[in-house]
Amino acid sequence: MSRRMHSTDRGTSAILVALCLLLLLGMAALAVDLGGAFDDRRQQQSAVDAGSLAAVQYGNLNNSPIPAGCDFGSLKQRAACRGVWEVIDVVSGGLNGRFASKTDWEACTDPGDDAAGYTLSAIGAGGTTYLDCISFTPNLKKGRVWLPTTQVPTTFGRVLGTNSIDISSFSEAGSDINSSSDVIPFALGPTGGALDYGCLRDTSTAIPGTLCDGPDAGNFGYLDIFFYGNETLPTVETCSGSNSERLATNIALGADHELTIWDGTVPDQRLDTTFCGIFTAMPNGANTQTGNVSTKKAAEGGLFGNASYTFEGRLMCKDGDPNERGRIEKQSTVADCVDIFNGGGPDPGEPLVDSTPLWRYLNYTSGACSGVSTRQQMMACLADWQTGPKTTPLFTADIIEAPRFAAVPDLNLDPSNGSSVDYYYKGFRPVYLDSTYFKCSATKCNMVHTPGHNDTGACPNFSDPAWANVTSCGATDVSDMAAMTAFILDLDMLDPALAEFWPSRPGVLIYNLIK
């Protein structure tokens, strides 16, 4: 028996077919139109990431010629303008010519740049601000790029009343020097740079039996490295004013900006003081500060802390507290923390000093480097390793986390007592801060602390490898740090991962994507 289809059945089928067709079109719209929009956004994100990296690289420290149209405003605004044009070139190159004209950017508004601290942009004729979507932090250490909104046309979505999909991308990038340019304001000259052990900070009075024998030894005149401003540490731009707090902060945190090597020619001489606040070139030299009382106190504060500073001293044992301000979080183990100030150090809240010996980080333990437990044995290890095949790094990579590990410049001239001579960087040597001498006369010091050594309980015999932590040499005043010695290392002693990003080496200018 057959059954004829009634008109109502046919109508119902037509509706179902229409609904199914609409559903299929919707699915096609999702698959095709959204897929196309996501693909375009992916391309835009890649381009804007490259653009933000270019922004901070070319706007921050670059001595290339200022492009036409950027010869106005302050030097920082000119640098920002240079970064703006580099961004446009990079972004348009990654997007086959899109956003190649400045007019493509002029109507763009970044909804979050000011709130995020990106308040610097290039300034046009008459003082008008333009290109809000390419901006920098005031110190040019970070760059932000917000792409103008793009309307991607739809194909199947038109059936649903959606003719286009709006997309946009943004990116932030900044320079990162926390693990690469930890340069402190001590230095080595040509006569001291070849030593395995040297005097970095000296006193006006010679300390008998040591390398610190007066103003002509070590860096009695500290390098005067300015602060260019770096939110990561954090530091603020300090190109003039009081030198004591700046010196102490520099010792505690290291340089906050990139430094490079002088090539030996007069046109290439770029002093730190000249380029602070300008950011048109990496400095390759600095002046010095005199070794007067205020800077001596500043050196002590930078190493051991001071209640008037907002950072922990470089050599104080770090407690991992994220609320601590203004210092690099380098770690010490409890076993390596000692109280050399008898509970009353420069910063009473945290009197423990890191006492980790250099040999704790030994990676190579053959020959003279086997069983090292004294400073003299460590010096023999350094000499032995230098004559060997050097097939493995001498130290483990985690030495970079040691509070006593830092970099110091090799200077073109021997540093002297506050000389007004300009000094230039021939290179940067890794050092490991060792002995510190407190309240010294021509015959004795109130205290000498050497990491890894036990307290002798008597006045120090400076030729005795066991002296350290001496507190019974008469007066108990240890508020005046007279001198400091250090192990002088070579780059090839370090793990290649550290040496690759050492100050002035290829790759030291590290720019990271932030968002």
Side-chain angles (χ1 to χ4, degrees):
M1 177 183 293
S2 63
R3 181 176 180 272
R4 294 183 179 180
M5 181 178 289
H6 295 284
S7 61
T8 53
D9 293 332
R10 290 193 293 269
T12 301
S13 298
I15 292 173
L16 290 175
V17 170
L19 289 175
C20 289
L21 181 60
L22 186 62
L23 179 61
L24 290 173
L25 287 173
M27 294 177 64
L30 287 174
V32 177
D33 295 335
L34 288 182
F38 278 126
D39 182 64
D40 194 73
R41 189 184 185 283
R42 179 186 57 78
Q43 295 180 45
Q44 290 194 32
Q45 190 63 54
S46 296
V48 77
D49 286 345
S52 65
L53 289 168
V56 70
Q57 181 176 1
Y58 278 79
N60 182 18
L61 290 172
N62 187 281
N63 57 2
S64 60
I66 299 292
C70 289
D71 51 348
F72 47 74
S74 69
L75 290 172
K76 282 189 177 181
Q77 289 162 353
R78 296 184 185 195
C81 183
R82 177 175 52 218
V84 162
W85 283 112
E86 186 64 23
V87 169
I88 294 175
D89 287 343
V90 169
V91 170
S92 63
L95 294 175
N96 298 320
R98 277 194 288 170
F99 310 120
S101 172
K102 184 168 71 70
T103 57
D104 295 331
W105 296 80
E106 288 177 336
C108 177
T109 301
D110 185 340
D113 54 351
D114 289 346
Y118 293 87
T119 56
L120 176 65
S121 58
I123 305 299
T128 58
T129 304
Y130 67 87
L131 302 191
D132 181 63
C133 288
I134 303 175
S135 55
F136 302 84
T137 51
N139 61 12
L140 291 166
K141 286 292 181 182
K142 295 180 182 178
R144 175 180 168 107
V145 180
W146 182 285
L147 279 187
T149 300
T150 299
Q151 293 182 327
V152 179
T154 62
T155 302
F156 293 97
R158 296 176 184 270
V159 178
L160 303 178
T162 303
N163 296 327
S164 63
I165 299 174
D166 291 347
I167 63 172
S168 184
S169 300
F170 83 99
S171 180
E172 297 176 5
S175 60
D176 177 10
I177 63 170
N178 279 352
S179 62
S180 59
S181 289
D182 195 5
V183 178
I184 56 177
F186 304 103
L188 297 168
T191 60
L195 300 175
D196 293 332
Y197 198 81
C199 182
L200 287 187
R201 183 266 180 272
D202 208 346
T203 179
S204 57
T205 301
I207 301 177
T210 74
L211 296 171
C212 297
D213 58 1
D216 60 335
N219 190 20
F220 188 57
Y222 307 95
L223 288 180
D224 195 6
I225 299 175
F226 282 7
F227 287 129
Y228 284 26
N230 189 324
E231 298 96 331
T232 306
L233 291 178
T235 56
V236 297
E237 183 179 300
T238 310
C239 302
S240 61
S242 173
N243 59 21
S244 295
E245 184 169 357
R246 186 173 68 243
L247 175 62
T249 308
N250 197 169
I251 293 173
L253 306 182
D256 76 341
H257 57 281
E258 296 87 342
L259 303 172
T260 189
I261 291 176
W262 177 50
D263 69 4
T265 66
V266 172
D268 189 53
Q269 294 174 335
R270 303 190 297 272
L271 288 176
D272 201 270
T273 54
T274 304
F275 289 90
C276 185
I278 298 176
F279 301 95
T280 55
M282 286 188 292
N284 57 17
N287 301 120
T288 57
Q289 293 187 23
T290 58
N292 56 30
V293 173
S294 64
T295 55
K296 287 166 68 176
K297 295 294 184 183
E300 177 189 321
L303 290 170
F304 299 102
N306 186 293
S308 63
Y309 299 138
T310 58
F311 53 80
E312 284 183 319
R314 169 174 285 270
L315 298 186
M316 304 306 287
C317 287
K318 306 303 187 287
D319 57 10
D321 184 354
N323 295 319
E324 293 287 353
R325 294 179 296 155
R327 57 172 170 77
I328 296 173
E329 188 63 51
K330 292 192 172 184
Q331 299 297 327
S332 308
T333 63
V334 174
D336 293 323
C337 297
V338 298
D339 182 4
I340 68 173
F341 298 114
N342 294 321
D347 184 354
E350 296 185 52
L352 297 181
V353 175
D354 174 80
S355 189
T356 310
L358 175 59
W359 51 87
R360 187 70 54 83
Y361 299 98
L362 276 175
N363 179 62
Y364 178 82
T365 56
S366 299
C369 295
S370 175
V372 175
S373 61
T374 68
R375 185 189 62 173
Q376 279 70 17
Q377 290 174 351
M378 187 68 242
M379 292 171 63
C381 168
L382 296 179
D384 182 53
W385 188 84
Q386 288 172 333
T387 61
K390 304 179 183 179
T391 57
T392 183
L394 181 58
F395 299 106
T396 57
D398 61 343
I399 193 174
I400 197 172
E401 297 299 328
R404 295 177 174 273
F405 182 77
V408 299
D410 264 329
L411 301 181
N412 62 317
L413 301 171
D414 284 325
S416 60
N417 181 16
S419 171
S420 60
V421 175
D422 298 333
Y423 296 93
Y424 295 95
Y425 310 139
K426 294 170 55 181
F428 298 90
R429 294 286 297 274
V431 298
Y432 195 85
L433 306 182
D434 192 47
S435 297
T436 44
Y437 305 78
F438 296 88
K439 202 74 173 181
C440 295
S441 68
T443 58
K444 67 178 182 180
C445 296
N446 281 8
M447 183 176 72
V448 180
H449 172 64
T450 301
H453 288 271
N454 295 321
D455 188 349
T456 62
C459 293
N461 174 357
F462 293 112
S463 62
D464 183 350
W467 53 255
N469 298 347
V470 177
T471 57
S472 57
C473 290
T476 59
D477 181 9
V478 295
S479 62
D480 183 359
M481 190 197 77
M484 178 179 64
T485 53
F487 290 99
I488 313 301
L489 311 177
D490 290 329
L491 273 180
D492 54 4
M493 295 177 177
L494 305 181
D495 187 283
L498 303 183
E500 180 181 358
F501 298 111
W502 193 249
S504 80
R505 297 280 290 233
V508 69
L509 295 179
I510 306 171
Y511 297 100
N512 293 330
L513 291 173
I514 301 171
K515 291 183 180 179

